[in-house]
């Protein structure tokens, strides 16, 4: 009887944990404004969350000034995207000849409309900006 009660309690706790985590959903479009070597730049982060897995793309970064065409293809896909509680993480590859890994780790705010990212990695023109990076949900 104790084993059955213990198993039932464990199942209830696991269900509660899964339910609590399901209220966070980062799916959608997000805008990230930064200042790059061409001045202010807007990147568009598109995320699609299923359970705790996240897929998507980060477009606009490093594609040159408005109206220009990049010489080489630009990597946009995000990799190893995940949500853990209110923490969102993923990485992207930037550059074409010698790609560099850029890692984003962010926290979703309580209203669900902003993610504050810490960005690490990169080099040269792909080096992250100093300080946190703010992504705002596009409505």
């Amino acid at each position: 009887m104790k084993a059955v009660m213990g198993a039932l309690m464990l199942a209830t706790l696991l269900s509660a944990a899964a339910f609590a985590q399901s209220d966070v959903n980062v799916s959608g479009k997000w805008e990230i404004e930064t200042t790059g070597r061409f001045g202010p730049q807007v990147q568009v982060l598109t995320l699609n969350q299923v359970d705790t897995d996240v897929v998507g793309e980060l477009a606009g970064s490093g594609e040159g000034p408005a109206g220009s065409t990049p010489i080489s293809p630009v990597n946009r896909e995000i990799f190893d995207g995940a949500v853990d509680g209110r923490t969102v993480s993923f990485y992207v590859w930037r550059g074409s000849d010698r790609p560099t890994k850029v890692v984003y780790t962010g926290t979703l705010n309580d209203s669900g409309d902003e993610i504050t990212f810490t960005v690490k990695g990169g080099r040269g023109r792909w080096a992250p900006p100093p300080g946190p990076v703010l992504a705002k949900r596009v409505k």
Side-chain angles (χ1 to χ4, degrees), residues 60-65 67-76 96 125-126:
S61 177
E63 294 180 22
S68 73
T69 304
I71 296 171
S72 302
V74 175
N75 302 314
R76 294 181 175 187
S96 56
R125 74 185 262 192
W126 306 112

Side-chain angles (χ1 to χ4, degrees), residues 13-82:
L13 289 172
L14 290 175
S15 294
F19 179 75
Q21 203 166 32
S22 68
D23 67 338
V24 172
N25 190 332
V26 297
S27 293
K29 287 194 184 279
W30 301 81
E31 284 188 352
I32 301 172
E33 272 191 58
T34 58
T35 301
R37 70 185 209 181
F38 298 113
Q41 296 179 349
V42 176
Q43 300 174 70
V44 177
L45 174 62
T46 305
L47 300 175
N48 186 16
Q49 178 184 342
V50 177
D51 294 323
T52 60
D53 295 329
V54 178
V55 296
E57 69 177 24
L58 179 60
S61 177
E63 294 180 22
S68 73
T69 304
I71 296 171
S72 302
V74 175
N75 302 314
R76 294 181 175 187
E77 184 177 359
I78 68 169
F79 296 94
D80 285 344

